[in-house]
Amino acid sequence: MDFATLIGILVGVGLIGGAIVMQGIKSETSFTVFAEPISFMIVLGGTLAATAIAFPLKEVLRIMTILRAIFKGGKEDLGPLVDEIVEMGTVARKGPKDLEDALDRVRNPFLKDGLQMVVDGYSVEEIRDILGTRVEYREEREMTEANLFKAMGKFAPAFGIIGTLIGLVFMLKGMGGGEDMASAIGSGMATALITTFYGALLANLFFLPMAEKLLTQISSKSTQQNMITEGVCLLQMKKHPLIVREKINSFIPPREWKRMEPGAGA
Amino acid sequence: MDFATLIGILVGVGLIGGAIVMQGIKSETSFTVFAEPISFMIVLGGTLAATAIAFPLKEVLRIMTILRAIFKGGKEDLGPLVDEIVEMGTVARKGPKDLEDALDRVRNPFLKDGLQMVVDGYSVEEIRDILGTRVEYREEREMTEANLFKAMGKFAPAFGIIGTLIGLVFMLKGMGGGEDMASAIGSGMATALITTFYGALLANLFFLPMAEKLLTQISSKSTQQNMITEGVCLLQMKKHPLIVREKINSFIPPREWKRMEPGAGA
Amino acid sequence: MDFATLIGILVGVGLIGGAIVMQGIKSETSFTVFAEPISFMIVLGGTLAATAIAFPLKEVLRIMTILRAIFKGGKEDLGPLVDEIVEMGTVARKGPKDLEDALDRVRNPFLKDGLQMVVDGYSVEEIRDILGTRVEYREEREMTEANLFKAMGKFAPAFGIIGTLIGLVFMLKGMGGGEDMASAIGSGMATALITTFYGALLANLFFLPMAEKLLTQISSKSTQQNMITEGVCLLQMKKHPLIVREKINSFIPPREWKRMEPGAGA
Amino acid sequence: MDFATLIGILVGVGLIGGAIVMQGIKSETSFTVFAEPISFMIVLGGTLAATAIAFPLKEVLRIMTILRAIFKGGKEDLGPLVDEIVEMGTVARKGPKDLEDALDRVRNPFLKDGLQMVVDGYSVEEIRDILGTRVEYREEREMTEANLFKAMGKFAPAFGIIGTLIGLVFMLKGMGGGEDMASAIGSGMATALITTFYGALLANLFFLPMAEKLLTQISSKSTQQNMITEGVCLLQMKKHPLIVREKINSFIPPREWKRMEPGAGA
Amino acid sequence: MDFATLIGILVGVGLIGGAIVMQGIKSETSFTVFAEPISFMIVLGGTLAATAIAFPLKEVLRIMTILRAIFKGGKEDLGPLVDEIVEMGTVARKGPKDLEDALDRVRNPFLKDGLQMVVDGYSVEEIRDILGTRVEYREEREMTEANLFKAMGKFAPAFGIIGTLIGLVFMLKGMGGGEDMASAIGSGMATALITTFYGALLANLFFLPMAEKLLTQISSKSTQQNMITEGVCLLQMKKHPLIVREKINSFIPPREWKRMEPGAGA
């Protein structure tokens, strides 16, 4: 569970909500003026409609699954994984049988599949090729998901402006020279601007940060899987555990290294 | 048929239309004020004119064909294709004659062409080279089509603003200090803003989502064809069906894998 | 001659011009208010000045040559070229002498140079290297030209806004509480906005579409030259015409293929 | 310590502060109108909230560490490093024992690790592979940090506008035709615009320049490490110091070269 | 000396200045209203402050050197260079001694260094490696300089808007319902907008075109140096001058080729 995401949303919503309430008190207007169902419908509905046009149904329906992944966060701590791979290296040097027995202890499914290929006797080239292709196409699939949120982050402000334009046009059409013109204009424009507000808020507090999060998770998962691929290949080559550690350590920051030798630079 | 696209357009248009009607009722103005043929002409006409300048006539005339492709959607379910390739692998191991007989059952034209090359005795390098070039240049051709829609998505709001500027200039030029000045200004500005509204709507509900859809379809088709290329090469190398499945499974998400071994990670 | 470009410009100009005339009639103002020589001077002059700063004199002076290329369009029909290369392949298999005699019939200068290299006995690696370098650096040179138009498309709206700011500042400075204030403001703002209008129109009806056109032409020419390079190399390798056709067909869409075998997918 | 960063911030803040004070004096208004805690809270709080959603907690918590790195600056003077590597080359040619003894004098941790690998007898391929992977993944980790600041630079103006919209809506809602309407509108809009001001200032004086700085530091560190990698490999190959110098000189500008031969161009 | 840059700046400044004077005369206001030292200070000072934060002090201090390079322009005429390399090829075939004697006649420092390496007996791989690294890292260093100007082109309009916001806030705060309200508002807004004007002008007439110029110069210099690298390698391989010319001709446009054979296409 990555609490930063949850905290971020709570703080952001609380902050904007609080600001609205405080400004409302200061200007002696109820904060309920910000509750405009039609405006919200235009922004969220329009954004979802544009997204449904832009992406395959299958992807759109996965939004909930993706959201859960965003909140769960990636446990990208690579240090223990380095230890596990090095340990498996020691096992693998005994023989494929020992490695097969040890497979049950492996939790990371990608590492498990890689070690299984070592047990099954795939060549280093085949392992690198198969695992590499998996990484490449996983990245591509997940990029589609990140793009989906990025697109929502672009559509939301656009529909915010579209909604504001609708409001403005009617306000302007109805504009007359009457006594309370200023009041009518003011009220009309306020309502119209709320749609822009919704669009900007949805984009900048939800869709765009989530798209960014997905991108970071994709890149972090690829680092992990590339490290595993490299480690499994070294295992298949029966390299000495010290060399295995030295090599896959190069994927993680020096401050997280565990090794005997002193001196490490980034 | 990808219903998401159709549903998206219907929902989007219905939503914006509904919002206009509701706002119209609220402000006691007919929603017909939004029907401005000149504004629509400026936006759509200007966009098409700019697109005709920007792209070869041949591409512009294909807009309808492309639109159909957008609505038809890509059937990117790769699971069955994996099965088909693995099955063909079993056939291919019997001999080229058996493979030739089985060719009629193959529906995917790209797979068919690839298998035909196996039958014709092309080398693995030649197959990979020829099919790879096909994928690369198909991508390039289809990118031009996606760029065409992207360009329309950029030109539409620009011509919306150009139309609004035309309306504003005349409104401002005619501005006088008369009795009903406010009413005249309001009406003039409203009409001017409708052009901006058209531009923003066309871009965000049609052109940009469709460009995005094309990009997703291109990438999804390339995944499929790269998988087929890999599979056909493995066939030509007479690899064991189990290895073929393992290798081409790496193109699809683990949750769609069919295989004997347990344990699979993305 | 690519008529789309010409038609696009005529339609675009006619449409915007027509809209101005019609709006003028509707608001009983002469459309001549849109003829503001100073505004036009600021936008076009400023854009050209910025372009002269941004690009080498040599490139700026070639604008006319580039414009002609845009209008002439690229004849990117690759089908006949495939036929020609395959035919040359048949000739080349007879001997270099026959190929030399056939060279006069070749119209495409890039193909001619390639075949000349076959006649001169260059190796496949040398041919691929020399022709590949030509394609790469032609692309780079032409990208500079496309960037020149793209830059103009960015500078034009910027100078439109700069001109509008100049107009606004003077209008605002002279703003007083007099009788005809509204009329003066209106007229001043209208004039100021016309500069923005010019900038937006020049960018979106001329510079940006032309930059896009150049990009499409560059990519289309590279496809053609890469196909020729591949074809010439196959000729030098004395490959069978059927294989030559199969290989270079992979550069063009299946619907344009001419070949004996049935069944073709994109 | 890179004083440019500190000077830049002091000058920037002083300049904007001074301009506010001077404008305040000129318009006989206290500059304290710019102190709007709610506005500041919306912009900074919203930006941090969005950033917490967008990036893993771990990265967000490292902001302070990153800030320190920005201020410390990169000591990218490569000339002395060239000398050091060449000198180590002379030592390495004597034997691994001499090199090991000389290791203590090496300050750069990346160079030290590389030389240690020479001592430990890693092959050139292994050294290039391990050090190359370290450079690649260090770059990727640091890019996440630069992206974090870039994202803040995008979120800040967005929340500035969101805050302004909140202010505008209340101001417009409360707009009436009373005596002091102009004064109320003016004051309300002024307060609303201050949020936009905060957003623009934070983005353009802090977040965006800092993101840019991080990018320059990343690229400069990679140049340094690539040069070290190349140098260490040449050492392992026991190349002549003159060739080592010639080769790694190619990473730095000719005007910083130290060598016997005359004539050097960029 | 690339006169285009100088002419561009003179024309641009003259044009905008002239437009200001003419508009001033038309609206009976002195053009001196555009001389706002505080506004100019905010824009240029803010931009420089942000740049000092964003780039290492060393780069910022080189702005003057870079400006000179922009004005001097790149002499990218490659035709004579082709002749020189071919001629050196003839000399090199006689022996390294003759080449060494001819070195004094070589003006281009990059070519001179390359030929020196031929004289010194470096292998083709070493030459290509060393010269290639020089090109790569020269490009990277110069990209930092281009990015510096690009960044200034982004900061200038931002500080223009920041300055305008400061002016607007004070104007709005002081807004009262007095007699000459319109005049006060007008004058205040005019002054405020001048800061935006400065930012837009500095960016679009100076910083952005200069950044673009640097990019073109970088790419043009790389073409030249890549051509030299190729030529020097061919010399070291003792290739026939005709082949040398054919090969390095591929870096330049066919219309600049000098050769015996007729027929040349781009």
Side-chain angles (χ1 to χ4, degrees):
Chain A
M1 188 70 198
D2 189 344
F3 287 106
T5 305
L6 199 65
I7 293 169
I9 289 180
L10 291 180
V11 167
V13 169
L15 215 135
I16 300 294
I20 289 175
V21 171
M22 281 167 76
Q23 291 269 20
I25 291 168
K26 240 175 70 181
S27 56
E28 293 167 16
T29 315
S30 166
F31 63 87
T32 52
V33 300
F34 268 87
E36 282 285 336
I38 299 185
S39 298
F40 194 72
M41 207 180 75
I42 293 176
V43 173
L44 194 61
T47 301
L48 287 176
T51 308
I53 298 171
F55 291 89
L57 190 51
K58 221 169 87 178
E59 289 300 328
V60 181
L61 294 177
R62 290 195 64 227
I63 284 187
M64 278 307 144
T65 319
I66 302 170
L67 271 179
R68 218 178 319 135
I70 290 173
F71 278 100
K72 239 181 59 185
K75 57 210 143 240
E76 57 154 338
D77 233 5
L78 297 177
L81 198 55
V82 169
D83 293 341
E84 191 173 9
I85 295 172
V86 171
E87 192 203 314
M88 283 294 147
T90 319
V91 175
R93 283 160 73 93
K94 295 185 196 156
K97 191 72 198 64
D98 296 76
L99 186 60
E100 194 162 17
D101 292 342
L103 264 187
D104 287 341
R105 300 206 306 271
V106 178
R107 297 269 295 282
N108 185 308
F110 192 83
L111 176 55
K112 194 169 202 156
D113 287 359
L115 294 174
Q116 183 66 54
M117 292 174 82
V118 174
V119 171
D120 293 350
Y122 281 78
S123 74
V124 172
E125 283 70 33
E126 282 171 337
I127 293 176
R128 198 181 294 280
D129 185 17
I130 290 178
L131 293 186
T133 309
R134 271 180 67 176
V135 174
E136 185 185 340
Y137 284 91
R138 179 196 52 75
E139 263 194 0
E140 203 172 298
R141 284 192 302 274
E142 293 185 357
M143 282 308 276
T144 306
E145 297 170 358
N147 283 338
L148 193 147
F149 276 78
K150 218 185 233 170
M152 288 175 96
K154 272 192 219 145
F155 289 137
F159 280 98
I161 286 164
I162 286 171
T164 295
L165 284 169
I166 296 176
L168 276 184
V169 165
F170 281 114
M171 184 274 276
L172 288 164
K173 276 287 175 196
M175 198 160 105
E179 191 98 316
D180 58 350
M181 183 182 90
S183 170
I185 292 181
S187 186
M189 272 200 68
T191 312
L193 284 180
I194 286 170
T195 327
T196 299
F197 168 80
Y198 281 150
L201 196 62
L202 278 177
N204 287 290
L205 200 51
F206 296 93
F207 302 140
L208 292 179
M210 283 167 176
E212 194 73 47
K213 180 84 159 208
L214 283 170
L215 287 176
T216 323
Q217 285 181 350
I218 292 170
S219 141
S220 142
K221 187 154 205 176
S222 292
T223 299
Q224 193 209 54
Q225 296 192 337
N226 285 332
M227 193 180 87
I228 292 176
T229 303
E230 189 60 42
V232 169
C233 289
L234 293 167
L235 253 67
Q236 179 60 312
M237 290 189 268
K238 304 248 183 287
K239 288 275 178 188
H240 189 278
L242 270 181
I243 295 182
V244 173
R245 181 178 291 276
E246 181 83 27
K247 178 72 188 85
I248 62 181
N249 257 348
S250 59
F251 287 85
I252 68 174
R255 65 174 179 277
E256 296 181 15
W257 289 355
K258 278 189 230 153
R259 61 170 191 178
M260 282 74 247
E261 303 88 355
Chain B
M1 186 70 199
D2 189 344
F3 286 107
T5 305
L6 199 65
I7 292 168
I9 289 180
L10 292 181
V11 167
V13 169
L15 214 134
I16 300 296
I20 289 176
V21 171
M22 281 168 75
Q23 291 270 20
I25 290 167
K26 241 174 71 181
S27 56
E28 293 167 15
T29 315
S30 166
F31 63 87
T32 52
V33 300
F34 268 88
E36 282 285 335
I38 298 185
S39 298
F40 194 72
M41 206 180 75
I42 293 176
V43 173
L44 193 61
T47 302
L48 288 176
T51 309
I53 299 171
F55 291 89
L57 189 52
K58 222 169 87 178
E59 288 301 327
V60 181
L61 294 177
R62 289 195 64 228
I63 285 188
M64 278 306 144
T65 318
I66 302 169
L67 272 178
R68 219 178 318 135
I70 291 173
F71 278 99
K72 239 181 58 184
K75 58 214 141 226
E76 56 152 340
D77 234 4
L78 296 176
L81 197 56
V82 169
D83 293 342
E84 191 173 8
I85 295 172
V86 171
E87 193 203 313
M88 284 294 147
T90 319
V91 175
R93 284 160 72 91
K94 294 184 197 157
K97 191 71 198 64
D98 296 75
L99 186 60
E100 193 162 18
D101 292 343
L103 265 186
D104 289 340
R105 298 206 307 272
V106 178
R107 297 269 295 281
N108 184 307
F110 192 83
L111 176 54
K112 194 168 201 159
D113 287 359
L115 294 174
Q116 182 68 50
M117 293 173 82
V118 174
V119 171
D120 293 350
Y122 280 78
S123 74
V124 171
E125 283 70 34
E126 282 171 337
I127 293 176
R128 198 182 293 279
D129 186 17
I130 290 178
L131 293 186
T133 308
R134 271 180 65 176
V135 174
E136 185 185 339
Y137 285 91
R138 178 196 54 73
E139 263 194 0
E140 204 173 297
R141 284 192 301 274
E142 293 184 357
M143 282 308 275
T144 306
E145 296 170 358
N147 283 339
L148 193 147
F149 275 80
K150 220 185 231 170
M152 290 175 95
K154 272 191 219 145
F155 289 135
F159 282 97
I161 286 164
I162 286 171
T164 295
L165 284 170
I166 295 177
L168 276 182
V169 165
F170 281 114
M171 183 273 274
L172 288 164
K173 275 287 175 195
M175 199 161 106
E179 190 97 318
D180 58 350
M181 184 183 89
S183 169
I185 292 181
S187 186
M189 273 200 67
T191 311
L193 283 180
I194 286 170
T195 327
T196 298
F197 168 79
Y198 281 149
L201 195 63
L202 278 177
N204 288 289
L205 200 52
F206 297 93
F207 302 139
L208 292 179
M210 283 168 176
E212 193 74 47
K213 181 82 160 208
L214 283 169
L215 287 176
T216 324
Q217 285 181 350
I218 292 169
S219 141
S220 142
K221 186 153 205 178
S222 291
T223 300
Q224 192 210 55
Q225 296 191 338
N226 285 332
M227 192 180 87
I228 291 176
T229 303
E230 189 62 41
V232 168
C233 288
L234 293 168
L235 252 69
Q236 178 60 311
M237 291 189 266
K238 305 250 182 285
K239 289 273 178 188
H240 189 277
L242 269 181
I243 295 182
V244 173
R245 181 179 291 277
E246 182 83 25
K247 177 72 187 86
I248 62 180
N249 257 348
S250 59
F251 287 86
I252 68 174
R255 66 175 180 275
E256 296 181 15
W257 288 355
K258 279 188 229 154
R259 62 171 192 180
M260 280 74 248
E261 304 87 354
Chain C
M1 186 70 199
D2 190 345
F3 288 106
T5 305
L6 198 65
I7 292 168
I9 289 181
L10 292 180
V11 167
V13 170
L15 215 134
I16 300 296
I20 289 177
V21 171
M22 280 167 77
Q23 290 271 22
I25 291 168
K26 242 173 72 180
S27 55
E28 293 168 15
T29 314
S30 166
F31 63 87
T32 52
V33 300
F34 268 88
E36 282 285 337
I38 299 185
S39 299
F40 194 72
M41 207 180 75
I42 293 176
V43 173
L44 193 62
T47 303
L48 287 176
T51 309
I53 299 170
F55 291 89
L57 189 52
K58 221 168 89 178
E59 289 301 328
V60 181
L61 294 177
R62 287 195 66 228
I63 285 188
M64 278 307 143
T65 318
I66 303 169
L67 272 179
R68 218 176 321 135
I70 291 172
F71 277 100
K72 238 181 60 185
K75 57 211 144 227
E76 58 152 338
D77 234 5
L78 297 177
L81 197 56
V82 169
D83 293 342
E84 191 173 7
I85 295 172
V86 172
E87 193 203 312
M88 283 295 146
T90 320
V91 174
R93 282 159 73 91
K94 295 184 198 157
K97 191 69 197 66
D98 296 77
L99 187 59
E100 194 162 15
D101 292 343
L103 265 186
D104 288 340
R105 297 205 309 273
V106 177
R107 297 269 296 279
N108 185 308
F110 193 82
L111 176 54
K112 195 169 201 159
D113 286 359
L115 294 175
Q116 183 68 50
M117 292 173 83
V118 174
V119 170
D120 294 350
Y122 281 79
S123 75
V124 170
E125 284 70 33
E126 283 171 336
I127 293 176
R128 199 182 293 280
D129 186 15
I130 290 179
L131 294 186
T133 309
R134 272 179 66 174
V135 173
E136 187 185 335
Y137 285 91
R138 178 195 54 73
E139 262 194 0
E140 205 173 295
R141 283 192 302 273
E142 294 184 357
M143 281 310 273
T144 306
E145 297 170 358
N147 283 340
L148 193 147
F149 275 80
K150 221 185 230 170
M152 291 175 94
K154 272 191 219 146
F155 290 136
F159 281 98
I161 286 164
I162 286 172
T164 295
L165 284 170
I166 295 177
L168 277 183
V169 165
F170 281 114
M171 184 273 275
L172 289 164
K173 275 288 174 196
M175 198 161 105
E179 190 98 316
D180 57 349
M181 184 182 89
S183 169
I185 292 180
S187 186
M189 274 201 67
T191 310
L193 284 180
I194 285 170
T195 327
T196 298
F197 168 79
Y198 282 149
L201 195 63
L202 277 177
N204 288 289
L205 199 52
F206 297 93
F207 302 139
L208 294 179
M210 282 168 178
E212 193 74 49
K213 180 82 160 210
L214 283 169
L215 288 176
T216 325
Q217 285 180 351
I218 292 170
S219 142
S220 142
K221 186 153 204 178
S222 291
T223 301
Q224 192 210 54
Q225 296 191 338
N226 285 332
M227 192 180 88
I228 290 176
T229 303
E230 189 61 42
V232 168
C233 289
L234 293 168
L235 251 68
Q236 179 60 310
M237 290 188 268
K238 305 249 181 287
K239 290 273 178 188
H240 190 277
L242 270 181
I243 294 182
V244 174
R245 180 178 291 278
E246 182 83 25
K247 179 71 187 85
I248 62 181
N249 257 347
S250 59
F251 287 85
I252 67 175
R255 65 174 181 277
E256 296 181 14
W257 289 355
K258 277 188 231 153
R259 62 170 190 180
M260 281 74 247
E261 304 88 353
Chain D
M1 187 69 198
D2 189 346
F3 287 107
T5 306
L6 199 65
I7 292 168
I9 290 181
L10 292 181
V11 167
V13 170
L15 215 135
I16 301 295
I20 289 176
V21 171
M22 280 166 78
Q23 292 270 19
I25 291 168
K26 240 175 73 180
S27 56
E28 293 166 16
T29 315
S30 166
F31 64 87
T32 51
V33 299
F34 267 88
E36 283 284 337
I38 300 184
S39 298
F40 194 72
M41 208 180 72
I42 293 177
V43 173
L44 194 60
T47 301
L48 288 175
T51 308
I53 299 170
F55 291 89
L57 190 52
K58 221 170 86 177
E59 290 299 329
V60 181
L61 295 176
R62 289 196 66 228
I63 284 188
M64 279 305 144
T65 319
I66 302 170
L67 271 179
R68 216 175 323 134
I70 290 173
F71 278 99
K72 238 182 57 185
K75 57 211 143 231
E76 59 153 337
D77 233 5
L78 298 177
L81 198 55
V82 169
D83 293 342
E84 191 173 8
I85 296 172
V86 172
E87 193 202 312
M88 284 294 147
T90 318
V91 174
R93 283 160 73 93
K94 295 184 198 157
K97 192 70 197 64
D98 297 77
L99 186 59
E100 195 162 16
D101 293 342
L103 264 186
D104 288 341
R105 297 205 308 270
V106 178
R107 298 269 296 281
N108 185 307
F110 192 83
L111 176 55
K112 195 168 201 157
D113 286 359
L115 294 174
Q116 183 67 54
M117 293 174 83
V118 174
V119 171
D120 293 350
Y122 281 79
S123 74
V124 171
E125 283 70 34
E126 282 171 337
I127 293 176
R128 199 182 293 280
D129 186 17
I130 290 178
L131 294 186
T133 309
R134 272 180 65 175
V135 174
E136 186 186 339
Y137 285 92
R138 178 195 53 74
E139 262 194 1
E140 203 173 298
R141 285 191 302 274
E142 294 185 356
M143 283 308 276
T144 306
E145 298 170 358
N147 284 339
L148 193 147
F149 276 79
K150 220 185 231 172
M152 290 176 95
K154 273 191 218 145
F155 289 136
F159 281 97
I161 286 163
I162 286 171
T164 294
L165 285 170
I166 295 177
L168 276 183
V169 165
F170 281 114
M171 184 272 277
L172 288 164
K173 275 288 176 197
M175 198 160 104
E179 191 98 318
D180 58 351
M181 183 183 92
S183 169
I185 292 181
S187 187
M189 273 200 67
T191 311
L193 284 180
I194 285 170
T195 327
T196 298
F197 168 80
Y198 282 149
L201 196 62
L202 278 178
N204 287 290
L205 200 52
F206 297 93
F207 302 140
L208 293 179
M210 282 168 177
E212 193 74 48
K213 180 85 160 207
L214 283 170
L215 288 175
T216 323
Q217 285 181 350
I218 293 169
S219 143
S220 141
K221 187 154 203 177
S222 292
T223 299
Q224 193 209 54
Q225 296 191 338
N226 285 331
M227 193 181 86
I228 291 176
T229 304
E230 189 62 41
V232 169
C233 288
L234 293 168
L235 252 67
Q236 178 60 310
M237 291 189 265
K238 304 249 183 286
K239 288 275 179 187
H240 189 279
L242 270 181
I243 295 182
V244 173
R245 180 178 291 276
E246 181 85 25
K247 178 71 187 83
I248 62 180
N249 257 347
S250 60
F251 286 85
I252 67 173
R255 65 173 180 278
E256 296 181 13
W257 289 355
K258 279 189 230 152
R259 62 171 189 177
M260 281 74 246
E261 302 87 355
Chain E
M1 187 69 199
D2 190 344
F3 287 106
T5 305
L6 198 66
I7 292 168
I9 290 181
L10 292 181
V11 168
V13 169
L15 214 134
I16 301 295
I20 290 176
V21 172
M22 281 166 77
Q23 292 270 20
I25 290 168
K26 242 174 71 180
S27 56
E28 293 167 16
T29 314
S30 166
F31 63 88
T32 52
V33 299
F34 267 88
E36 282 284 336
I38 300 184
S39 299
F40 194 72
M41 208 180 74
I42 294 177
V43 173
L44 193 61
T47 302
L48 287 176
T51 308
I53 300 170
F55 291 89
L57 189 53
K58 220 169 88 178
E59 289 300 328
V60 181
L61 294 177
R62 287 196 65 229
I63 284 188
M64 279 305 143
T65 318
I66 302 170
L67 272 179
R68 216 175 323 134
I70 290 173
F71 277 100
K72 237 182 60 185
K75 59 214 140 217
E76 59 153 337
D77 233 6
L78 297 177
L81 198 55
V82 169
D83 293 342
E84 191 173 7
I85 296 172
V86 171
E87 193 203 311
M88 283 293 145
T90 319
V91 175
R93 283 159 72 92
K94 295 185 198 156
K97 192 71 197 64
D98 296 77
L99 186 59
E100 195 163 16
D101 293 343
L103 264 186
D104 288 340
R105 298 205 308 271
V106 177
R107 297 269 295 279
N108 185 307
F110 193 82
L111 176 54
K112 195 168 200 158
D113 286 358
L115 293 174
Q116 183 67 51
M117 294 175 81
V118 174
V119 171
D120 293 350
Y122 281 78
S123 75
V124 171
E125 283 70 34
E126 284 172 335
I127 293 175
R128 199 182 294 280
D129 186 15
I130 290 179
L131 293 186
T133 309
R134 273 180 65 174
V135 174
E136 187 186 336
Y137 285 90
R138 178 195 54 74
E139 263 194 0
E140 204 173 296
R141 284 192 303 273
E142 294 185 356
M143 282 309 273
T144 306
E145 298 170 357
N147 283 340
L148 192 147
F149 275 80
K150 221 185 229 169
M152 290 176 94
K154 272 190 217 145
F155 290 135
F159 282 97
I161 286 163
I162 285 172
T164 294
L165 284 170
I166 295 177
L168 276 183
V169 165
F170 281 114
M171 183 273 276
L172 289 164
K173 274 289 174 194
M175 199 160 104
E179 191 98 316
D180 58 350
M181 183 182 91
S183 168
I185 293 180
S187 186
M189 273 200 68
T191 310
L193 284 180
I194 285 170
T195 327
T196 299
F197 168 79
Y198 282 148
L201 195 63
L202 278 178
N204 288 289
L205 200 52
F206 297 93
F207 302 140
L208 293 179
M210 282 168 178
E212 192 74 49
K213 180 84 161 209
L214 283 170
L215 288 176
T216 323
Q217 285 181 350
I218 292 169
S219 142
S220 141
K221 187 153 203 177
S222 292
T223 299
Q224 192 210 54
Q225 296 192 337
N226 285 332
M227 193 181 87
I228 291 175
T229 304
E230 189 61 41
V232 169
C233 288
L234 293 168
L235 251 69
Q236 178 60 310
M237 289 188 268
K238 304 248 182 288
K239 288 275 179 186
H240 189 279
L242 271 182
I243 294 181
V244 173
R245 181 178 290 277
E246 182 84 25
K247 179 70 187 84
I248 61 179
N249 258 347
S250 60
F251 287 85
I252 67 174
R255 64 173 181 279
E256 297 180 13
W257 289 355
K258 276 189 231 153
R259 62 170 189 179
M260 281 73 246
E261 302 88 352

